[in-house]
Amino acid sequence: MITTGFPTDGPTLAQVGERAVIAAIRAAAPSALNGDDAAVLTPSVPNSRVVAGTDMLVEGHHFTRATTTPYLLGRKATVQNFADIEAMGARPIAALMGVSVSRDAPAAWVEEIARGIGDMAGEYGCELVGGDLTDGQELVVSVTAIGSLGGNRPPLTLDAARPGQRVVAHGNIGYSAAGFALLQAGIDVPEELEVLVKAHQAPVLTPGRGVVARAAGATAMTDNSDGLIRDVTTLAKASSVGIELSKVALRPDATLQAAGVLLGVDPWEWVLTGGEDHTLIGTIDGSAPVGFRSIGAVTRKPGVRIDGEAPELTAGWESF
């Protein structure tokens, strides 16, 4: 079942007041670390390094109220930030929330956003430990993810891919874009295609896959946030290498093909340019790590190709 829409009833933020809203946030996403001026985190393992990242979701630019819910928005904001932590080979250990929202909005919006963040953080074994709330014309949700990088191995940076390595991926590719297209079409989504809509509203990333890849010897990694070709090109340029992708490995599956037939869209467009799946894309010597699959190889020849040819579709997300 697909769920969309923001509640329109109940007391507003102005009626409830800031202190009561903060109390509701802490109740929706409980943490003993939340409530002081700042959260004090204990290093999770010896010889660890701190990893941090942040992203925002802005109403009208990244989402609309007609295609999601406050709860799902909180989950999505968390996944997109935790994916960045995982892409470094690190483990998320805490999340901070920032929300800008009109004082006339129902207080339930913020409570449900916090609940979504807290629930998703819980799936990674960590908590929402603090944040900020302010009045603003547009709804903006920002999550800052804090991670821990243990051991002596280097982080999985963009500039560490080497010729001869295997290109591997964990997660679906093209699902989020297909789900967004289904929502935009304004149709009754067939039950068998609901998985695509859900992948857009709150992408799924198995916790710990980045850590597994780093332990297995991966050297470089990114997540598919702006479109596969665009993100792989960024990795290739940073490492001064080329990447040869396999058309067979990337071929749209039966679910994407069914959505393409329904909407009259070539599903390759979603696979190559869609983004927002937050699939982990990495490079490694030898076999693909557990939970990953091979999708190509690193070459000396610059550029990104699919079976030796330049990709026909290269667009992706642009913030400006």
Side-chain angles (χ1 to χ4, degrees):
M1 179 179 177
I2 302 300
T3 305
T4 59
F6 278 48
T8 57
D9 54 359
T12 66
L13 290 162
Q15 292 169 334
V16 171
E18 182 179 8
R19 292 184 182 277
V21 173
I22 292 173
I25 291 171
R26 295 181 63 191
S31 173
L33 299 175
N34 190 357
D36 216 310
D37 291 320
V40 179
L41 305 178
T42 303
S44 56
V45 294
N47 192 30
S48 63
R49 287 160 282 177
V50 175
V51 181
T54 189
D55 274 311
M56 294 186 292
L57 292 175
V58 180
E59 184 177 8
H61 191 56
H62 300 102
F63 70 92
T64 69
R65 299 177 202 174
T67 59
T68 189
T69 69
Y71 177 80
L72 292 171
L73 189 61
R75 291 184 67 90
K76 182 171 185 173
T78 308
V79 170
Q80 72 177 29
N81 283 280
F82 281 9
D84 287 337
I85 300 299
E86 292 269 0
M88 301 304 293
R91 181 176 70 84
I93 59 173
L96 298 165
M97 175 186 81
V99 176
S100 174
V101 61
S102 169
R103 60 188 287 110
D104 297 324
W109 290 11
V110 177
E111 183 178 355
E112 285 301 299
I113 290 169
R115 193 183 308 280
I117 294 172
D119 284 356
M120 181 57 73
E123 294 181 17
Y124 284 79
C126 58
E127 298 174 340
L128 174 63
V129 300
D132 190 29
L133 177 67
T134 188
D135 180 24
Q137 292 185 343
E138 296 176 326
L139 176 58
V140 179
V141 179
S142 175
V143 169
T144 296
I146 309 297
S148 175
L149 187 74
N152 294 320
R153 288 182 180 271
L156 305 182
T157 53
L158 289 169
D159 61 355
R162 298 292 178 261
Q165 291 185 321
R166 185 187 304 269
V167 180
V168 296
H170 167 73
N172 295 313
I173 301 176
Y175 270 41
S176 177
F180 181 58
L182 287 166
L183 286 169
Q184 279 191 311
I187 61 175
D188 289 331
V189 178
E191 184 176 353
E192 64 271 20
L193 300 183
E194 288 183 0
V195 63
L196 301 175
V197 174
K198 293 176 180 178
H200 172 71
Q201 292 177 324
V204 176
L205 178 65
T206 306
R209 288 302 96 186
V211 175
V212 167
R214 179 167 170 260
T219 58
M221 187 167 284
T222 189
D223 73 302
N224 177 25
S225 56
D226 296 333
L228 178 64
I229 298 302
R230 179 157 295 189
D231 288 323
V232 168
T233 298
T234 297
L235 190 152
K237 286 183 176 179
S239 295
S240 299
V241 297
I243 289 182
E244 183 79 30
L245 296 172
S246 165
K247 189 171 185 178
V248 170
L250 295 176
R251 180 175 292 144
D253 65 15
T255 304
L256 288 174
Q257 291 181 36
V261 170
L262 179 64
L263 299 179
V265 175
D266 182 354
W268 277 103
E269 179 179 337
W270 298 325
V271 170
L272 299 181
T273 71
E276 283 203 321
D277 288 301
H278 301 295
T279 307
L280 297 180
I281 309 291
T283 62
I284 189 171
D285 293 301
S287 301
V290 174
F292 285 77
R293 63 191 183 278
S294 179
I295 63 169
V298 183
T299 67
R300 295 187 182 278
K301 182 180 178 180
V304 173
R305 295 167 297 280
I306 301 176
D307 287 357
E309 302 291 334
E312 295 181 3
L313 301 169
T314 60
W317 174 258
E318 284 282 0
S319 293
F320 301 99

